[in-house]
Amino acid sequence: MKWIDMHCDTISELQKRKGESLHRNQLCVDVERLKRAGAEAQFFACFVNAADYGGKKEDWMEPCKAEKGHRSVVPSSWDPAYENVLNMISSARKAEDHSFTVAASEQELDQARGDGRLAGILTLEEGGVLNGNIERVKELYEERIRLITLTWNYENCLGSPNSRDPEVMSRGLKPFGKEVVERMNDLGMLIDVSHLSDGGFWDCIRVSRFPIVASHSNARALCPHPRNLTDEMLHALGNKGGVAGMNFYSAFLRKMDRNRPMSDGNDRASLMDIALHGARILDQAGEDALALGTDLDGFDRDSLPYGIRDVLDMEKIWEELKRAGLTERQIEKAAHENVRRVIHEVWKG
């Protein structure tokens, strides 16, 4: 079955490895295995953690002050982090060949499929690298970024992350965050609410003129992790025309004992856990809202569900979804059709 995965962290992980490439590596995702596994397209996140780029801790946690008509930005580590995003984009472009291409339009996705090439879709994970500069949104668009995950695990100039602290979780988008959402709408970029606070999620529902996505988030009713979406949020996401991508990280699939290391194997999820989250997303958001967002290479293999080692195991997911009661049509939609629909509605040109 053809499929599209909305999130993996392979590109940022490859920066830490010598002698490995996007085409062939020892991680969970590479072009060679994606093609063997039947992938139509893979979203590749250009992920940065500002804390990795020097500067004082208070600098990268301090929210940028940004209002319309006024810019007061934090110089700190955001600018080197932005430069590294550009480097990751460049490395992906350099990997293009007869088997792989970076796609930034529907036409290019169709062309890649016709040519038998895997399409890579580039995304930014951590909107803090915008550093209060709205012009960077257009710059990233011109560099072929087509989705921005607004926050990662820290407060930034757009908003606040998901949190176990109710006060942080309730915070909405900052004025600059709303401005970024509007600019992304104008350009035709996917707005990703995975990692965003609940308050920020609801602001995106209200502010965005187009469907939004939760590229790699599960159902909070089945696993009470703040990274997951409540039934109410799933319902709103579906009504907005958006999609939620099933995440393969065990801690987002089943409730964990936070005092015990996952490496002991006792807390690893199962394939059926993935399917149950898929069924819950479909039930609450509708069959047009279920998608795939594996988060592969965003955590170690010991945190994957039993039976999943890399992208070559994707066929097992479709079988489990069948066992969970999904129809062939619903599985086909979840595998790639729903993402293609959202791309059609949001991307421009």
Side-chain angles (χ1 to χ4, degrees):
M1 179 181 292
K2 291 295 183 183
W3 50 273
I4 300 175
D5 175 22
M6 294 192 73
H7 189 87
C8 76
D9 287 292
T10 309
I11 289 179
S12 57
E13 282 300 303
L14 283 173
Q15 288 195 311
K16 307 171 187 176
R17 294 168 173 252
K18 294 182 178 180
E20 297 189 48
S21 71
L22 196 57
H23 282 270
R24 183 178 297 178
N25 58 59
Q26 298 300 311
L27 296 168
C28 294
V29 179
D30 62 29
V31 171
E32 184 178 289
R33 282 173 289 164
L34 284 166
K35 288 179 64 64
R36 286 167 56 195
E40 175 182 340
Q42 174 69 57
F43 284 62
F44 288 101
C46 298
F47 163 68
V48 292
N49 178 355
D52 293 336
Y53 298 88
K56 298 177 181 178
K57 183 175 180 180
E58 56 266 26
D59 286 341
W60 50 262
M61 293 194 70
E62 177 69 20
C64 308
K65 297 177 181 178
E67 305 288 344
K68 286 186 177 181
H70 173 71
R71 295 287 174 266
S72 176
V73 299
V74 179
S76 68
S77 54
W78 286 125
D79 285 341
Y82 181 69
E83 290 298 320
N84 201 36
V85 169
L86 298 180
N87 290 337
M88 283 187 269
I89 294 170
S90 177
S91 69
R93 300 300 305 278
K94 289 177 181 177
E96 291 182 290
D97 65 1
H98 65 280
S99 64
F100 171 73
T101 185
V102 172
S105 70
E106 276 194 280
Q107 182 180 1
E108 291 176 351
L109 281 173
D110 292 338
Q111 184 67 49
R113 182 166 53 189
D115 293 342
R117 292 196 289 177
L118 175 76
I121 299 171
L122 299 181
T123 79
L124 166 66
E125 186 175 24
E126 176 51 281
V129 301
L130 299 176
N131 201 14
N133 184 350
I134 196 67
E135 297 306 317
R136 284 187 175 176
V137 181
K138 179 68 178 297
E139 289 172 6
L140 289 168
Y141 180 85
E142 292 174 345
E143 292 288 342
R144 302 172 74 78
I145 292 288
R146 288 298 179 268
L147 174 151
I148 296 178
T149 307
L150 301 182
T151 59
W152 187 57
N153 288 348
Y154 310 113
E155 182 178 357
N156 64 25
C157 51
L158 287 81
S160 295
N162 71 87
S163 174
R164 297 185 187 277
D165 182 334
E167 191 277 324
V168 174
M169 196 63 142
S170 68
R171 296 176 189 169
L173 293 177
K174 298 178 182 180
F176 181 66
K178 294 176 182 178
E179 186 179 356
V180 167
V181 167
E182 292 168 355
R183 185 67 173 131
M184 291 175 67
N185 279 174
D186 292 340
L187 291 169
M189 301 175 79
L190 290 166
I191 295 158
D192 182 15
V193 297
S194 286
H195 286 284
L196 189 61
S197 66
D198 287 2
F201 169 91
W202 290 110
D203 276 345
C204 286
I205 291 288
R206 287 187 288 267
V207 174
S208 178
R209 306 189 303 275
F210 297 99
I212 62 175
V213 304
S215 68
H216 53 305
S217 295
N218 292 329
R220 205 178 295 174
L222 299 185
C223 176
H225 195 290
R227 270 282 282 104
N228 292 334
L229 303 177
T230 67
D231 285 351
E232 184 182 14
M233 295 165 80
L234 288 169
H235 186 70
L237 186 75
N239 284 344
K240 189 77 175 179
V243 297
M246 293 175 284
N247 190 313
F248 288 7
Y249 183 40
S250 286
F252 300 161
L253 288 165
R254 59 188 300 180
K255 188 174 182 180
M256 298 286 138
D257 181 347
R258 297 172 67 188
N259 297 314
R260 186 173 60 193
M262 196 178 300
S263 58
D264 66 10
N266 293 322
D267 276 333
R268 287 180 69 180
S270 67
L271 291 169
M272 183 51 69
D273 286 320
I274 297 174
L276 291 174
H277 278 270
R280 184 73 178 200
I281 292 169
L282 187 149
D283 180 66
Q284 296 299 313
E287 66 179 38
D288 293 333
L290 180 61
L292 187 66
T294 64
D295 206 4
L296 289 173
D297 294 328
F299 47 86
D300 59 62
R301 277 194 171 93
D302 288 339
S303 298
L304 279 166
Y306 288 109
I308 299 289
R309 292 291 294 172
D310 60 27
V311 293
L312 293 177
D313 292 314
M314 286 303 303
E315 194 65 30
K316 298 176 182 178
I317 303 303
W318 320 132
E319 294 302 318
E320 287 298 322
L321 288 173
K322 287 179 187 177
R323 292 189 184 95
L326 274 69
T327 66
E328 292 284 352
R329 185 193 74 252
Q330 290 169 335
I331 294 171
E332 193 80 25
K333 284 186 170 185
H336 67 109
E337 290 179 5
N338 289 340
V339 175
R340 285 299 300 260
R341 173 189 57 78
V342 171
I343 285 173
H344 176 74
E345 293 181 18
V346 176
W347 286 7
K348 301 178 187 293

